[in-house]
Amino acid sequence: MCVDAYEIESYYALSLDPIHIGTGGSRLGRVDLPIAREPGTNLPKIPGTSINGPARAYTALATNRYFWKENNQEFSCAGRGGEGGERHCGKINPACPVCVPYGFSKGTSFSIQGLAQFFDAHILFFPVSSMIGTVWVTSPMVLSGLGLQSEFIVPDDRFYPLGEQVRNKNKLNFGWLMLNGGNGQGNLDALQQVPDIIKQRAVLVSDKLFSHIVNSNLEVRTSVSIDPQTGTAEEGALFTYEAIPRGTVFKFDVTYNSGEIFKIGGKEIKAEGNGNVGTSWVKTQVEKGLRLFEILGIGGMGTRGMGRLKILNL
Ligand SMILES: [Zn+2]
């Protein structure tokens, strides 16, 4: 029998709320709580670790491993499992649907990295309002990352319509920026995971302009910290934060490694009923968590109505 050692799955996701994934600190600048960015391009992104964390917690919720007990022992397979992973169950036969896909540590001879590896989510299509309604911008670099249209070179003062609904427009007015239309032909048909309504209103701009448009159209909100004692605003507690707007389309990859080739502490990893822990078993457990992104959200500011992310190809 042939066993796949690993499988790479690409996920497409749509933000249903603004998404705030912080950098873990504040900086001196325009906003108090900036979002994570790709250093080379300055484009906002969702780091793989910020996908892994909530996916783990939600798989734990979906499989009753958030807090659970066995033989009077208490476990929590979500999160870091205490100081050094001591609250992770670390069960490999039958395999824990959380600890095996996401990893655990029970001393040096009995730990695994996690059979699922999460990569950063990058912006594919970014919504911007214009005189002709909302359009979704993308760029040659973004599309070439998908293996599409890498041959395009768009001048910095032009846009190329990609979708039906923007095909005959020769001007695109963002209010603060006016672009002339070019006659590049695009075809996004191969991107079946992306909703038609977005593809029909997609426009291509240069890589440089893409970064500029995205960074100029992030949500910047002002909020106040509430003192939990009094229920009123804390003094000097006004702060601003950035977020990626709702309607943004992202793509991220997850690599699923097979557990069939591993032995931990001399023991094989086996699923319930002595089943195989192949790539599809790992994927099934992770997708139980990814499915909840749409309801429970990711990132910070969840209590301020942010963070819900719908995975489009589950
Ligand atoms: Zn566990």
Side-chain angles (χ1 to χ4, degrees):
M1 197 183 84
C2 175
V3 172
D4 282 332
Y6 70 94
E7 178 188 339
I8 300 170
E9 183 71 60
S10 295
Y11 294 99
Y12 294 79
L14 176 71
S15 55
L16 305 180
D17 293 321
I19 308 271
H20 174 88
I21 307 287
T23 54
S26 55
R27 65 171 181 193
L28 293 172
R30 195 165 58 100
V31 287
D32 299 317
L33 298 172
I35 50 178
R37 284 181 166 76
E38 186 71 26
T41 60
N42 207 35
L43 283 166
K45 67 174 181 180
I46 304 174
T49 49
S50 300
I51 300 171
N52 180 316
R56 175 175 199 130
Y58 301 159
T59 295
L61 275 179
T63 59
N64 294 321
R65 301 269 168 150
Y66 204 92
F67 290 112
W68 66 291
K69 262 189 183 177
E70 192 179 71
N71 303 328
N72 278 329
Q73 240 190 312
E74 287 184 0
F75 300 108
S76 174
C77 300
R80 290 170 52 221
E83 290 294 301
E86 70 278 0
R87 300 192 65 205
H88 287 163
C89 77
K91 293 186 187 303
I92 62 164
N93 189 357
C96 172
V98 184
C99 291
V100 169
Y102 298 97
F104 64 90
S105 174
K106 294 253 163 215
T108 47
S109 64
F110 206 75
S111 64
I112 54 169
Q113 279 288 331
L115 295 174
Q117 282 168 276
F118 295 78
F119 295 90
D120 296 347
H122 296 285
I123 297 173
L124 270 193
F125 295 101
F126 185 86
V128 192
S129 64
S130 77
M131 301 292 251
I132 56 164
T134 301
V135 297
W136 274 264
V137 293
T138 186
S139 84
M141 185 182 60
V142 171
L143 292 184
S144 71
L146 299 172
L148 292 171
Q149 336 228 351
S150 52
E151 77 279 11
F152 268 136
I153 298 169
V154 196
D156 284 338
D157 60 346
R158 292 198 175 258
F159 76 95
Y160 288 171
L162 292 174
E164 288 300 313
Q165 291 187 25
V166 288
R167 191 72 78 193
N168 298 316
K169 310 291 181 203
N170 49 22
K171 292 241 186 296
L172 193 52
N173 188 346
F174 291 124
W176 54 283
L177 176 72
M178 170 91 93
L179 296 175
N180 291 310
N183 42 14
Q185 287 293 313
N187 190 343
L188 299 173
D189 291 350
L191 278 179
Q192 285 171 6
Q193 301 86 346
V194 177
D196 284 341
I197 187 169
I198 292 173
K199 286 190 288 190
Q200 283 166 4
R201 304 190 63 81
V203 301
L204 190 73
V205 298
S206 74
D207 295 330
K208 191 173 140 196
L209 197 55
F210 181 65
S211 177
H212 185 61
I213 290 173
V214 168
N215 281 298
S216 303
N217 284 277
L218 296 170
E219 293 214 12
V220 178
R221 294 194 189 182
T222 302
S223 194
V224 286
S225 297
I226 301 296
D227 185 333
Q229 298 292 316
T230 63
T232 57
E234 286 174 9
E235 204 155 333
L238 203 60
F239 67 96
T240 56
Y241 56 94
E242 287 185 311
I244 302 172
R246 65 167 60 89
T248 303
V249 180
F250 299 86
K251 179 190 171 245
F252 64 95
D253 291 341
V254 181
T255 301
Y256 297 112
N257 294 290
S258 172
E260 294 168 84
I261 50 176
F262 282 92
K263 277 206 170 105
I264 301 172
K267 287 188 233 160
E268 279 188 284
I269 309 176
K270 283 288 175 190
E272 201 82 49
N274 213 31
N276 288 331
V277 176
T279 56
S280 69
W281 183 87
V282 181
K283 182 173 164 180
T284 300
Q285 311 315 320
V286 169
E287 290 190 347
K288 286 174 189 168
L290 294 180
R291 202 160 273 129
L292 292 175
F293 279 21
E294 178 182 351
I295 299 163
L296 299 172
I298 64 166
M301 311 285 173
T303 55
R304 290 181 167 85
M306 299 179 80
R308 287 177 307 154
L309 185 69
K310 182 181 172 66
I311 312 291
L312 297 166
N313 56 324
L314 281 176

